[in-house]
């Protein structure tokens, strides 16, 4: 399974509610923000509850990138600038930058002050003033000021990666008021979560970029202010980071017990089999396993048998998101939803799950799987109120039970489903000529499944064979990671596998996945090209929801509309993390609910390392 989590710069960014009115004469200084006003930690909290405040510093963490953001690729990198469209960005670069505020991993959507010691909010909720900590410094010793914050936010809005720029487009200005105070203004009607998204964006040095092109692809280590800095770069193979010994923010409550490893190293492999062999040999120490077959049968190597490598599963409380083959509706042969549904009917999940994946997965149906945001049953009054204005343009099924992918007989070639696929193709005006299905206009119906990793091939090939049985000439094309990234940015594909997931309080970031504007924006994450006024209206309702109930109802309504659109062939999900570790780590006994906490809250245990010969 590919775990390509595409969020904003930090992944799964939190959302913020429009604040309660604050009188201008006596602004309320806040130490944190959350979507709907709830904060677990008081102003004087000492550290997050899920950390070990006495965690030792030292040792090394090594692993692979498992979740991408910005321009990152799982298979390679050629730039250290991850915040623009150009290039394939390296892992870990986000740890070299600080932001105004940072997430609490045991709350669904709360953030607390990092660079900012406090924030005030205008009565209309359109102006946020952040008071900066005077001790904030970049790694070269220069002072981090409000000018740097204002520069960073505006350049990300104007020149940043589309998934950032699209999300923060309603930030109208960011201006410095002296060195220690930055004022950020938003357009009327801005998304509920926009201030919190902005508060979690990286802060760059304005002086550093005065002499450099922000949009350039570069292997020069950027000047940051965060807990780590780049130490070594082997393009396409590995990147190493070292902990900053005099990091200015080390003793802040949001950082106590975190960033404990002396060094971090991320290894890159273009083939998952090669990566697994490297892990077995000890080339890196932390692995999240995404392939059920390997999890079930591959951990019989000596280090695992002897207990030097340990395995465990960890519950994942976040929505499992959307994994599947996305269908590019910009191409004329895929514009008809009946054709897209017919394509999906050719994938036999039940057979694949039993024969290839050891029954490890459940079928994905929802765009908010594994959460209460998922639509079920008939729409209630709140959902109907959101859907009613589009009743004449939406499929009738939106107002009934939400669409579910069919359950096959598990044979691998369910005749009933293939017969249904054939009927749908004919309803769409296709005709059969021998073994070939032809589109209206007599062009053959063909498709190519684009990927950069062979891991899906055991599932893809039976899918292709079934497509052939209904007359669709399908093929699979493997390209290198750089070409894959380039083709996705230009929407140059028919079908491609991808997984997107997010937090429990989705908001404005969904516009980059499903919004009409994103459909026409090069490099956006709207891979299918969804451009639907009903979807746009529901995205606006989600972004502006003023209560958890309103957010849930809007997400469920959106789920119904998207599922009715047949924009993808849904794959599968698992509500747990599968971890394989060389037994050298220590970690707090109570992990955060909404994140693994690795490597941020873990540490190197020299006694454990000594026992297995990995000092």
């Amino acid at each position: 399974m590919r775990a390509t989590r595409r969020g904003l710069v930090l992944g799964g960014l939190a959302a913020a509610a429009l604040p309660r009115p604050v009188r201008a004469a006596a602004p309320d200084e806040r130490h944190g923000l959350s979507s709907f006003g709830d904060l677990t930690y008081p102003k004087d909290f000492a550290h997050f509850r899920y950390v070990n405040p006495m965690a030792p510093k030292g040792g090394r963490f090594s692993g692979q990138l498992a979740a991408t953001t910005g321009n990152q690729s799982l298979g390679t990198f050629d730039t250290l600038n991850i915040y623009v469209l150009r290039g394939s960005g390296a892992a870990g670069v986000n740890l070299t930058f600080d932001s105004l505020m940072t997430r609490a991993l045991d709350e669904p959507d709360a953030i607390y002050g990092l660079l900012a010691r406090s924030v005030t909010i205008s009565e209309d909720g359109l102006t946020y003033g952040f008071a900066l900590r005077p001790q904030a410094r970049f790694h070269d010793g220069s002072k981090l000021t409000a000018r740097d914050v204002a520069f960073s936010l505006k350049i990300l809005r104007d020149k940043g990666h589309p998934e950032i720029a699209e999300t923060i487009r309603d930030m109208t200005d960011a201006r410095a008021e002296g060195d220690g105070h930055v004022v950020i203004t938003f357009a009327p009607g801005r998304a509920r979560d926009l201030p919190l998204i902005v508060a979690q964006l990286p802060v760059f040095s304005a002086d550093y970029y005065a002499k450099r092109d922000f949009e350039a692809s570069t292997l020069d280590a950027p000047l940051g202010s965060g807990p780590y800095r780049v130490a070594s770069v082997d393009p396409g193979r590995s990147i190493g980071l070292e902990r900053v010994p005099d990091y200015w923010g080390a003793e802040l409550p949001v950082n106590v017990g975190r960033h404990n490893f002396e060094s971090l190293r991320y290894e890159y492999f273009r083939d998952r089999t090669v990566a697994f062999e490297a892990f077995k040999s000890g080339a890196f120490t932390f692995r999240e396993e995404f392939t059920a077959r390997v999890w079930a049968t591959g951990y019989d190597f000596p280090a695992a048998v002897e207990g030097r490598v340990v395995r465990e599963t960890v519950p994942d409380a976040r929505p499992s998101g959307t994994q599947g083959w996305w269908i590019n509706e910009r191409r004329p042969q895929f514009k008809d939803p009946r054709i897209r549904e017919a394509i999906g009917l050719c994938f036999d999940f039940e057979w694949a799950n039993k024969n290839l994946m050891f029954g490890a997965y459940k079928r994905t149906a929802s765009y908010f799987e594994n959460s209460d945001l998922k639509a079920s049953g008939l729409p209630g009054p709140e959902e109907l109120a959101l859907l009613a204005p589009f009743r004449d343009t939406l499929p009738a099924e939106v107002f009934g039970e939400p669409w579910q992918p069919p359950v096959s007989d598990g044979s691998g070639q369910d005749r009933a489903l293939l017969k249904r696929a054939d009927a749908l193709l004919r309803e769409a005006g296709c005709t059969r000529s021998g073994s070939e299905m032809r589109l209206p206009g007599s062009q053959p119906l063909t498709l190519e499944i684009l990927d950069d990793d062979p891991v899906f091939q055991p599932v893809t090939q039976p899918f292709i064979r079934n497509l052939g049985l209904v007359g669709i000439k399908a093929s699979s094309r493997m390209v290198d990671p750089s070409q894959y990234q380039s083709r996705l940015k230009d929407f140059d594909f028919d079908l491609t596998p991808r997984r997107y997931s997010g937090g429990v309080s989705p908001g404005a970031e969904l516009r980059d996945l499903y919004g009409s504007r994103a459909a026409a924006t090069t490099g956006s994450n709207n891979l299918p090209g969804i451009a639907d006024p009903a979807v746009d209206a529901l995205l606006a309702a989600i972004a502006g929801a003023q209560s958890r109930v309103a957010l849930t109802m809007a997400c469920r309504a959106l789920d119904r509309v998207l599922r009715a659109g047949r924009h993808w062939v849904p794959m599968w999900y698992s509500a747990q993390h599968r971890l394989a570790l060389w037994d050298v780590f220590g970690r707090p006994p109570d992990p955060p609910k909404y994140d693994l906490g690795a490597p941020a809250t873990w540490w190197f245990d020299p006694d454990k390392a000594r026992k297995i010969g990995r000092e």
Side-chain angles (χ1 to χ4, degrees):
M1 179 193 295
R2 163 175 287 137
T4 306
R5 188 176 303 118
R6 311 283 289 193
L8 280 179
V9 287
L10 300 180
L13 290 180
L18 284 170
R20 295 174 182 175
V22 177
R23 296 183 184 276
D28 177 20
E29 287 195 348
R30 308 179 183 201
H31 68 290
L33 299 168
S34 73
S35 289
F36 303 109
D38 299 324
L39 294 175
T40 295
Y41 295 95
K43 185 176 183 179
D44 60 349
F45 78 99
H47 57 78
F48 292 130
R49 292 182 299 194
Y50 52 82
V51 305
N52 173 8
M54 304 304 294
K57 306 294 185 183
R60 188 174 84 172
F61 176 96
S62 54
Q64 290 182 271
L65 182 65
T68 61
T69 186
N71 62 7
Q72 289 176 325
S73 166
L74 291 174
T76 191
F77 75 94
D78 56 19
T79 181
L80 300 186
N81 187 353
I82 69 172
Y83 300 109
V84 297
L85 184 59
R86 190 177 302 168
S88 296
V93 176
N94 58 299
L95 295 172
T96 69
F97 298 105
D98 281 323
S99 53
L100 288 169
M101 308 185 90
T102 191
R103 283 189 60 207
L105 303 180
D106 58 346
E107 297 181 74
D109 43 40
I111 60 175
Y112 296 87
L114 178 50
L115 288 170
R117 59 177 174 80
S118 66
V119 56
T120 58
I121 309 167
S122 66
E123 187 172 0
D124 61 5
L126 299 180
T127 303
Y128 280 57
F130 292 89
L132 303 187
R133 300 185 193 272
Q135 67 269 38
R137 292 291 186 275
F138 288 106
H139 296 155
D140 65 356
S142 60
K143 186 175 181 178
L144 189 155
T145 70
R147 172 173 166 261
D148 299 301
V149 177
F151 162 79
S152 302
L153 299 182
K154 287 190 286 189
I155 204 166
L156 284 168
R157 179 197 61 191
D158 299 338
K159 297 184 177 182
H161 191 281
E163 72 180 20
I164 302 173
E166 172 68 13
T167 303
I168 68 170
R169 68 190 190 206
D170 286 338
M171 183 195 76
T172 57
D173 195 19
R175 67 182 185 274
E177 293 186 345
D179 284 351
H181 195 261
V182 63
V183 176
I184 303 170
T185 55
F186 303 96
R190 55 89 172 166
R192 177 199 71 245
D193 56 338
L194 183 53
L196 267 71
I197 290 174
V198 167
Q200 294 177 86
L201 291 173
V203 173
F204 312 117
S205 166
D207 288 340
Y208 179 85
Y209 281 105
K211 305 172 184 177
R212 293 168 177 84
D213 178 5
F214 177 76
E215 296 180 275
S217 178
T218 178
L219 290 172
D220 291 338
L223 176 60
S225 64
Y228 288 92
R229 60 189 171 206
V230 175
S232 63
V233 177
D234 188 355
R237 297 176 64 90
S238 67
I239 179 171
L241 299 100
E242 62 184 6
R243 190 164 58 87
V244 177
D246 57 351
Y247 171 46
W248 75 270
E251 302 304 319
L252 295 177
V254 294
N255 283 330
V256 170
R258 301 177 69 227
H259 314 308
N260 302 313
F261 293 99
E262 191 66 26
S263 64
L264 307 175
R265 185 178 178 88
Y266 292 94
E267 304 284 350
Y268 281 81
F269 302 89
R270 294 174 186 257
D271 184 280
R272 291 195 185 194
T273 301
V274 174
F276 185 49
E277 293 301 316
F279 173 76
K280 288 160 62 174
S281 70
F284 56 97
T285 53
F286 177 96
R287 176 178 171 86
E288 186 168 4
E289 184 58 70
F290 297 109
T291 305
R293 172 182 53 80
V294 174
W295 185 253
T297 66
Y299 286 85
D300 56 357
F301 54 94
V305 173
E306 296 162 6
R308 290 179 290 142
V309 168
V310 296
R311 293 192 297 161
E312 64 179 270
T313 57
V314 179
D316 187 355
R318 298 166 299 180
S320 292
T322 52
Q323 177 169 301
W325 288 283
W326 295 89
I327 304 172
N328 188 359
E329 298 164 30
R330 299 171 184 84
R331 302 204 159 167
Q333 65 267 39
F334 305 126
K335 287 190 177 297
D336 193 314
R338 292 169 294 188
I339 291 178
R340 301 195 296 270
E341 182 174 356
I343 291 170
L345 289 170
C346 295
F347 171 51
D348 192 328
F349 165 76
E350 283 68 32
W351 178 87
N353 193 38
K354 177 182 178 182
N355 292 279
L356 301 175
M357 300 183 293
F358 297 83
Y361 295 107
K362 297 179 181 179
R363 185 78 189 269
T364 297
S366 168
Y367 286 69
F368 301 100
E369 200 64 74
N370 192 43
S371 78
D372 64 356
L373 306 178
K374 175 181 178 178
S376 62
L378 296 174
E382 297 91 344
E383 292 175 76
L384 287 173
L386 293 166
L387 297 168
F390 304 96
R391 183 177 287 273
D392 292 341
T393 59
L394 289 172
E397 71 178 61
V398 169
F399 299 90
E401 297 279 344
W403 177 81
Q404 293 280 131
V407 177
S408 79
D409 62 11
S411 66
Q413 294 181 356
D414 188 315
R415 293 188 176 185
L417 294 183
L418 295 177
K419 183 178 180 180
R420 173 61 180 154
D422 180 81
L424 282 169
L425 292 169
R426 295 177 188 274
E427 288 175 18
C430 298
T431 55
R432 189 75 178 253
S433 176
S435 62
E436 188 174 72
M437 186 65 71
R438 293 181 176 272
L439 294 160
S442 297
Q443 291 296 316
L445 176 51
T446 65
L447 64 85
E448 177 185 88
I449 300 174
L450 181 71
D451 204 354
D452 66 343
D453 191 325
V455 69
F456 280 132
Q457 287 304 300
V459 178
T460 300
Q461 292 306 317
F463 181 28
I464 287 174
R465 285 195 294 272
N466 280 351
L467 289 164
L469 292 176
V470 298
I472 300 174
K473 185 179 180 180
S475 61
S476 174
R477 179 179 292 274
M478 303 297 300
V479 297
D480 66 70
S482 295
Q483 185 180 356
Y484 182 67
Q485 286 291 93
S486 177
R487 289 187 61 173
L488 289 194
K489 289 173 184 176
D490 292 334
F491 308 121
D492 181 17
F493 66 93
D494 291 338
L495 275 73
T496 192
R498 199 70 155 179
R499 177 178 181 239
Y500 295 114
S501 63
V504 296
S505 301
E509 73 277 5
L510 294 184
R511 295 189 302 207
D512 182 58
L513 294 174
Y514 313 123
S516 296
R517 179 165 159 170
T521 301
T522 299
S524 83
N525 289 310
N526 189 342
L527 294 182
I530 299 168
D532 184 335
V535 170
D536 292 338
L538 293 170
L539 291 173
I542 289 169
Q546 297 302 296
S547 69
R548 181 71 62 182
V549 170
L551 175 63
T552 299
M553 294 302 108
C555 286
R556 290 178 181 176
L558 176 67
D559 194 29
R560 293 178 187 277
V561 175
L562 291 176
R563 287 159 74 174
R566 312 297 197 271
H567 303 295
W568 62 326
V569 181
M571 286 182 172
W572 51 80
Y573 76 97
S574 174
Q576 61 184 11
H577 300 279
R578 294 185 293 243
L579 304 182
L581 318 165
W582 283 83
D583 195 14
V584 298
F585 299 117
R587 45 194 152 150
D590 298 314
K593 182 176 181 179
Y594 299 108
D595 196 274
L596 275 174
T601 67
W602 293 22
W603 61 88
F604 182 79
D605 187 323
D607 293 333
K608 285 186 174 183
R610 193 174 302 113
K611 289 179 181 178
I612 66 170
R614 292 189 64 95
E615 293 91 341

